[in-house]
Every structure is written in structure tokens, then in C-alpha cells.
Amino acid sequence: MPKYVFVTGGVLSGIGKGTTAAAIGKLFQFRGLEVDMIKIDPYLNVDPGTLNPIEHGEVFVTDKVWKFTPYKGFTFTIAEIDQDFGTYERFLDKNMHPRNNITSGQVYLSTLLQERAGEFLGETVQIIPHVTDEIKRRIRMVAEESSPDVLITEIGGTVGDIEASPYLEAVRQFRLEEDPGQTALVHVTLVPYLETVGQLKTKPTQHSVKTLLSAGLQPDVIVARGKRPLTESARRKISLYSNVPPKAVISNPDTPVTYSIPLLFEKQGLGDYLCDILRLRTRRPKLSSWEKTVQLFERKKEPVWIAMPGKYTQILDSYVSINKAIEHAAVALGVEAKIEFVDTEIVEEDPSRVEIVDKYHGILLTPGFGTRGAEGMIKVAQRALNSRIPFLGICFGAQLFFIAFCREKGLEEANSTEVDADTPHPVVDLLPEQRKISEKGGTMRLGAHEIVVKRGSKLFDAYKKERVRERFRHRYHIIPKYARRFEGRGLTISAMDVSERIINAIEVEGDHWMVGVQFHPEFTSRPNRPNPVYVEFLRAALRRKRTSSSGGASR
Ligand code: GLN
């Protein structure tokens, strides 16, 4: 059985609990241990696939598709999970399984279906013990199925949230059921710096630990997030009030390179401390290859400006894997990608504003759904075509790029039926198997699929092989009949699925680097192994920068 580390959060959400959990996972990996990660999301959605990214950030897509069976005879497809799994994959270089994302939706669904089937006959079905039992069962299921040395469970939200309380109770019971030395609890809080008094404030942390204690949970470690590193006096104060030794109070200040956090933890002795608590005897940590990666990210580099036009531009997290994939590729080329979001509704209000994209070295047209902002995105793609700006379209972005191409070739009313159901030229339409589906949860074409790349294409130049595997999340596709019309007239179909039914990538002919991919290459990008599609896109952007230094792309 694995050792269990639970990670809770206090004071505020969004302070980097996911990154902290992943960085702790890395500490065990440094010591040669197998690590797996669970994330608990206390919302009632069964998975985040039905959430707008503005609500909860990006939806992460796994390689594997999981048939979630809350009860015999009921199955739901899950491959869309919380964005923290992207962080886990990037830190641990490991494909995560969708069953590792436990939501309240799943937990309650299972409990209620069991109740209807009569599994609890005669009993009053309650949060304690029925819901908490189901939570513990799910955690132990992951332990059994993936049998890691250490299983880290991050509890979403903050202590004190009503929704999170059954999970804290489940953790309390779990720790009681396991022998001493089997579990550890890490609490991540915010330690703000108050400018007016020039001091770090520990009071929010004290309160948050009190809330945790009132749930019967004594933390073993406190990780203090904040703008600034902890001072010795703040550390001692937190130690005293939270009943943990000073060496278990860990400073985790803001850093431009999040991959450096495991090294920062290592310096403070967190790896050894957790191993002591968990009675793990391991080899000495091997840090050198991770240190090398971090050094590459820390180098000062020349900027390349990338525009990201899209519809979820209000929050940074809606495209987090794309931002990371661009960063990984930039680091590999020794440049720094500067990414700016462009809200395409602005272009819709005033089409002349589309010129703003000319100043960038590259344009990445983002994934998305629905009508709002789509017309503006098409206009941007047309501009990229005409101004020969390096361009990468991802999923929706690739579909809209194809629409832009068709319009430029004379099909002026070309559209996707997702954007305009009555278009006379439905050049992007539902996948045939999607026509009979009306439910929205977990029903898209999901997970990783094999892709056949055309030799001689720009995409082949990137991958340098014919067969690759990437992840998908779509209902619509580029209609082959229309794409074939333009083959040899400016367009190349550069990848298909293995059944040759679904266009997986298109690109313009000639030396203008303009590629649209139906899949999401960002999900397989790792800090030390950037995705080749992103690398080639950035290389093209860098070329534009170098050749147009006198005007044109001035950004
Ligand atoms: N809305 C489009 C589709 O369903 C694109 C989805 C996406 O960008 N992930 O096909």
C-alpha cells in the first residue's frame, strides 16, 4: 500500500495549491519513488467538461478515456478533468488517469444510485458515513489500480468551504484508519505582505489552521505562499500557532519559473522531512536533470511576441496548457515568448481593428465553442493569411482557419454549423457520430488518438514521423469534401485519423508557416520535451521577427 500525502488549502483559492502538490510529488520522484496524484473537486459537475473556462480555467484532456461506472448498468465517459492535472503531468512527466479526478458530482451520483438499488436498505443515507465512505473508497481505488509508492491527494477549494467539509472529514477518518507513518498532511496558506507596516502577516494562516483543527486535522507541514519569502520571525510565529516545528514551515514565494519550486522545497529540507514522517527510506535525491531544465527557463532571452485571439481572454487560466506549451517551445529555442490575449469581440465591433495582429510575430488561434467571438476569430485568420503571419490554429482555431481559407477562395459565406446553423457552405460540421447525441457531458470525441501525418508537410517537418498520438476534444470537424477542393490550390491536408475519415490537420502550401490542428498538442508538452508543433510555430515566429525588424512586426 502506498503512503498518502493530503494537501489542503487555506485563506484563498488560486494561490498555487496545485503547483505546490505537484512540486511535492517531484520531491519523491527525485528519490526514485513512483508518485501518483489525485485531485478532488468539490463541485457537483460530474467532470469539468461542461464548465466554461472562465468559471474554472482550462479543461484538461487525458490520454486515456475512462468509463466511470457509478453503479452497475450506468457508465459515463470521462477524459475531461481539472487543469491541475496539466500541472501534475508537466512536473511529473507522467500521463494521469481520469479516475484520479474525484468530483462531488461523481461521489453523490454513486451514493444515490447505490441507495436506489437498495444497497443501504434500512439505513438513513448520510454524508457521514455514506458519502465519506465513497470518498475513501475512491482514493483507495486509485491506490490499488496504480499502486504508486506515494499517492498525493489535493483537496480543491479552501478549508471552511461548505462543499469541502465532507472531504476533510473523509481525510480525518482515513488518517485514523491508517497506521501512524502512513499519511502526512500539508496545508498551503497565504502569508500576505502588508506594505503599510512592512511586515508579513501570519494571522490568516493562524485562522486557517484553526479551521483545519476544528475538522480534526493537525497539519504536519505548512507551506506559506506569498509575494515574499518567509522571514525567520514569521516562520517561528506560524510554527508556534500551528503546532508544527519551524523546519516544517516552508516558504513558497512567487517565482517567475514555477519549475524551480521543487528545488526551493528541497533546499528547505521538505523532501527529507516528509520521508521521515512517512517512514520512507530512500536513495539520495537526484536533482541534476531537473536543475538543468530550470536553468534553461531562468536564462534571460530575446522576446518573441505571440497574439492569442480568442473568446475566453478574461482570465489567464483558460488556456494554461497552451501558454505552457508556448513557453516550453520558446525555452527550447532560447527565446522568451511574450503572449498577449486579443478579445475577438473587439474585432467584430470594428473589423478595421483586425490590423492590431500585424505587429505580432505569430498568432495562435485558440480552441473554443459557440458563436460569440467566432466571427472575429475568422477575421484574424484571414488577416494572418493575407499578411503571411506565422499561425497556429488549435481545434476550433483550426476549424475557423479553414473557414477563413474558404472565404478567401471565394466561398464568402463559408462557416461552421456550430457558428451558423444555416450557412450555405457548411465547411465545418458535426462529426457523423455526433448527430444522434444530445447529451453534453463527456460526449465529444475525446482522449488520445493515432494520427497519420503526410510526408513532406510542415507538420511532418515538425514531428519527423508518420504516426503520432495526440489528444482530442471536439464534436465538429473540417468537411473533407470541401478541403479536397482546395488541395493543390493553396491548401494541404497534412494529417488524417487512421480511418481516413477525420481531417486532423491542414496547412497552407509554400513557405508561409500556417498550420491548423484538430488536436491539442499542448497537452503533451513537457518542460524538457516541448511539443514539436509548438516548436516549429515559434521558430516561424522568430524568423518573422528577424526578417521584419525594419517595420512590420514591431511588437
Ligand atoms: N467547438 C469545436 C468542436 O466541438 C472545437 C472544440 C475545441 O476547440 N476544443 O469541434
Side-chain angles (χ1 to χ4, degrees), residues 32 78-79 176 182 187 211 247-248 253 257 266 286 299 393 469 551:
I78 298 188
L176 189 68
Q182 285 301 111
H187 190 52
T211 313
K247 65 175 176 184
V257 179
E266 200 55 66
K286 281 195 187 140
R299 263 196 327 216
R469 189 177 162 85

Side-chain angles (χ1 to χ4, degrees), residues 54 78 174 256 258 327 344 370 377 420 430:
I54 296 168
I78 298 188
F174 202 106
T258 54
E327 187 191 13
T344 48
M377 291 170 76
D420 173 10
L430 279 174

Side-chain angles (χ1 to χ4, degrees), residues 22-199:
I24 289 173
K26 201 78 206 164
L27 301 178
F28 293 110
Q29 266 192 352
F30 288 154
R31 291 164 170 75
L33 298 170
E34 263 309 312
V35 178
D36 204 3
M37 312 270 312
I38 290 179
K39 167 80 193 289
I40 290 176
D41 282 304
Y43 49 65
L44 286 171
N45 303 61
V46 169
D47 69 35
T50 50
L51 279 169
N52 185 321
I54 296 168
E55 285 280 319
H56 201 72
E58 162 194 280
V59 175
F60 190 74
V61 181
T62 48
D63 181 281
K64 278 206 179 53
V65 171
W66 180 46
K67 294 284 176 212
F68 164 53
T69 310
Y71 196 73
K72 314 188 260 285
F74 296 87
T75 51
F76 297 89
T77 301
I78 298 188
E80 296 160 290
I81 60 172
D82 185 75
Q83 59 162 327
D84 276 335
F85 284 90
T87 310
Y88 303 163
E89 290 206 358
R90 289 185 282 271
F91 272 78
L92 302 179
D93 195 2
K94 170 183 174 120
N95 287 352
M96 304 300 301
H97 197 286
R99 69 173 164 249
N100 294 23
N101 192 186
I102 304 172
T103 67
S104 292
Q106 294 170 16
V107 168
Y108 287 114
L109 193 59
S110 303
T111 312
L112 294 177
L113 288 171
Q114 288 174 60
E115 187 276 334
R116 285 294 80 186
E119 297 276 339
F120 311 123
L121 226 47
E123 294 172 46
T124 308
V125 180
Q126 292 181 295
I127 304 266
I128 306 170
H130 300 90
V131 169
T132 46
D133 280 353
E134 177 60 20
I135 296 167
K136 289 181 289 174
R137 187 188 71 79
R138 284 292 303 271
I139 296 173
R140 292 201 166 97
M141 180 176 97
V142 174
E144 262 161 45
E145 304 256 348
S146 86
S147 57
D149 299 312
V150 182
L151 178 57
I152 300 174
T153 301
E154 177 194 345
I155 319 254
T158 37
V159 297
D161 293 353
I162 290 179
E163 287 185 318
S165 60
Y167 296 100
L168 296 181
E169 170 57 18
V171 173
R172 188 191 67 78
Q173 294 173 16
F174 202 106
R175 299 196 78 185
L176 189 68
E177 289 162 17
E178 296 289 326
D179 289 335
Q182 285 301 111
T183 71
L185 177 60
V186 177
H187 190 52
V188 185
T189 71
L190 181 73
V191 178
Y193 179 79
L194 212 58
E195 299 282 347
T196 44
V197 286
Q199 224 181 17

Side-chain angles (χ1 to χ4, degrees), residues 306-515:
I306 304 293
M308 261 175 59
K311 51 190 294 179
Y312 310 117
T313 50
Q314 291 94 326
I315 65 163
L316 286 173
D317 272 357
S318 25
Y319 309 108
V320 53
S321 291
I322 294 180
N323 299 339
K324 297 292 178 190
I326 292 177
E327 187 191 13
H328 301 162
V331 166
L333 295 178
V335 297
E336 181 184 355
K338 300 270 196 190
I339 303 169
E340 283 185 351
F341 292 148
V342 177
D343 182 351
T344 48
E345 282 181 280
I346 297 168
V347 178
E348 287 176 6
E349 277 159 29
D350 176 5
S352 71
R353 299 275 297 272
V354 73
E355 288 169 16
I356 52 173
V357 297
D358 286 1
K359 61 182 186 220
Y360 293 92
H361 305 123
I363 298 175
L364 187 141
L365 207 60
T366 50
F369 296 84
T371 310
R372 182 180 62 80
E375 199 51 44
M377 291 170 76
I378 298 170
K379 295 260 159 18
V380 167
Q382 282 177 283
R383 186 76 187 182
L385 262 168
N386 292 318
S387 303
R388 299 175 61 80
I389 306 169
F391 177 99
L392 176 59
I394 307 285
C395 200
F396 197 46
Q399 296 168 359
L400 299 181
F401 156 39
F402 182 60
I403 294 166
F405 186 91
C406 294
R407 289 187 184 180
E408 288 297 313
K409 288 284 179 186
L411 287 183
E412 269 154 37
E413 288 170 85
N415 216 328
S416 164
T417 52
E418 181 179 6
V419 180
D420 173 10
D422 303 317
T423 170
H425 305 297
V427 299
V428 175
D429 200 357
L430 279 174
L431 287 160
E433 61 272 29
Q434 287 286 333
R435 293 189 184 281
K436 39 186 189 298
I437 298 173
S438 59
E439 288 91 6
K440 290 286 182 282
T443 54
M444 282 186 251
R445 180 169 178 261
L446 292 171
H449 297 272
E450 188 115 25
I451 295 166
V452 186
V453 183
K454 183 175 176 169
R455 280 188 179 272
S457 63
K458 295 183 177 75
L459 199 68
F460 189 87
D461 274 352
Y463 284 114
K464 303 201 165 43
K465 51 184 174 191
E466 235 167 44
R467 292 284 180 130
V468 294
R469 189 177 162 85
E470 295 283 8
R471 303 180 197 180
F472 290 78
R473 178 177 186 240
H474 64 130
R475 264 183 243 288
Y476 292 82
H477 71 142
I478 293 167
I479 299 301
K481 178 180 82 187
Y482 283 102
R484 295 226 168 85
R485 243 199 239 182
F486 301 116
E487 258 186 314
R489 291 175 52 209
L491 192 84
T492 300
I493 299 175
S494 40
M496 296 293 289
D497 74 317
V498 282
S499 73
E500 294 189 16
R501 243 172 12 100
I502 306 168
I503 292 181
N504 280 187
I506 54 169
E507 58 191 51
V508 294
E509 287 175 341
D511 56 9
H512 175 195
W513 205 94
M514 189 164 190
V515 173

